Amino acid sequence: MKLDGKSIQAAIMHLVEEYRLDPYQVMEIIRAGIKSGFKKDFPEFRKAEIVVNVENDGTISIYKALTVVEEIEEEDTQILLADARKERKDIELGEQLLINITPQSMELSRIAAQAAAQTIKQGIKNIERERFYDKFQDKEGQLLKAKVIKVHTDSVILDIEGTTVVLPPESQIPNRPYEVGEEIFVFLKKISKEAWSITLEITQSSPDYVEAILKKIVPEFEEGIVTIEKIGRVAGKKTKILVASTDESIDPVGVFVGHKGDRINTVLSLLDGEKVDFVEDIDDPKELITRLLKPAQVESLEFKDNGKVTARVEESQKSLAIGRGACNIKLASQLSGYQIEVI
């Protein structure tokens, strides 16, 4: 592979246009690629510090950089002051001396060309990785709009702002059918930056997803007029939410439900019909558990020393108190902090 002005200019134009890179970034990538290829063909410079200069016309110059020192500890990267001044009289300790080692022919071998290409590809990946992180780093803890582009047996592939992201099985709403082309919301729990990759942890199955939806559609919640004290959720089946108000004159449940149920209906549509109950938080545990076990009518409650509570209800009310799949009693126990038994 011959490196000449035309091929360098063509490579620069391709990277700028194809990946929408800054010309300065492109030049750094090209330099790194040339350096990698050069060291493959000239292994005697493998430990040396190499500087690659690319002129505007594509002309390439390669230099060996040596740091001027009083005593040499590393021959590949250092030079004595006396020897350096033979090349440049005004050079001082600590400065770098560039020795031109440009070969007569800038034609890379096949292996060297592969090394250069790999370095350039990795440089592009690193830039794209940083772009990806910059795009999402301020969106952690927010809802993101996504489009379903593929559905596998277990995973759902989404497009989020031009980026392909996987919604894993455990983060999906159980038994919800995902259709190619449909637009959905997901909650960005966390963005992780590893050495070689960026990972978006997204979900529709956590309580955070429900809370983020409510923050989006209930302005009083965003403003702090009403609050969410605790959320219990069995994804795909039922969610119970303890709510409160900073103003005694405001009914927090009514605020979250909305006028004629408009807000709760929006939530239900985004949760694919999952049932949602809002319960006003209260300090009295007896009254709180009674509210949490609705729609069942509780006749009496017996509190025991071990954190257990026995709820007595009529036989016809047992199925309501327990709920389908024991969801109602499970969430009531979770939100109240007591282990509830229905008899």
Side-chain angles (χ1 to χ4, degrees), residues 166-184:
V166 177
L167 182 66
E170 66 274 12
S171 297
Q172 299 168 25
I173 298 176
N175 302 316
R176 182 199 191 283
Y178 291 87
E179 302 291 338
V180 173
E182 75 168 312
E183 293 187 338
I184 63 174

Side-chain angles (χ1 to χ4, degrees), residues 99-156:
I99 307 296
N100 195 322
I101 55 172
T102 308
Q104 288 185 347
S105 173
M106 281 302 298
E107 188 164 356
L108 299 178
S109 66
R110 181 179 61 84
I111 294 176
Q114 288 175 347
Q118 183 59 38
T119 300
I120 290 171
K121 287 178 182 177
Q122 189 58 54
I124 293 170
K125 284 184 179 179
N126 289 341
I127 291 173
E128 291 182 325
R129 186 170 69 96
E130 290 303 317
R131 281 181 174 177
F132 182 84
Y133 185 76
D134 290 343
K135 180 189 287 189
F136 292 105
Q137 67 172 326
D138 296 327
K139 297 181 180 180
E140 193 171 277
Q142 296 181 19
L143 284 182
L144 301 178
K145 197 172 185 179
K147 186 175 183 179
V148 178
I149 56 177
K150 197 168 186 179
V151 179
H152 292 297
T153 305
D154 52 0
S155 298
V156 178

Side-chain angles (χ1 to χ4, degrees), residues 3-5 8 34 52-55 57-62 102 106:
L3 294 177
D4 55 29
I8 293 296
I34 294 172
V52 176
N53 186 44
V54 181
E55 302 292 345
D57 62 358
T59 302
I60 301 169
S61 299
I62 299 178
T102 308
M106 281 302 298

Side-chain angles (χ1 to χ4, degrees), residues 304-315:
K304 301 179 179 179
D305 295 336
N306 54 5
K308 294 183 178 181
V309 175
T310 299
R312 187 176 298 277
V313 300
E314 289 186 1
E315 191 65 32

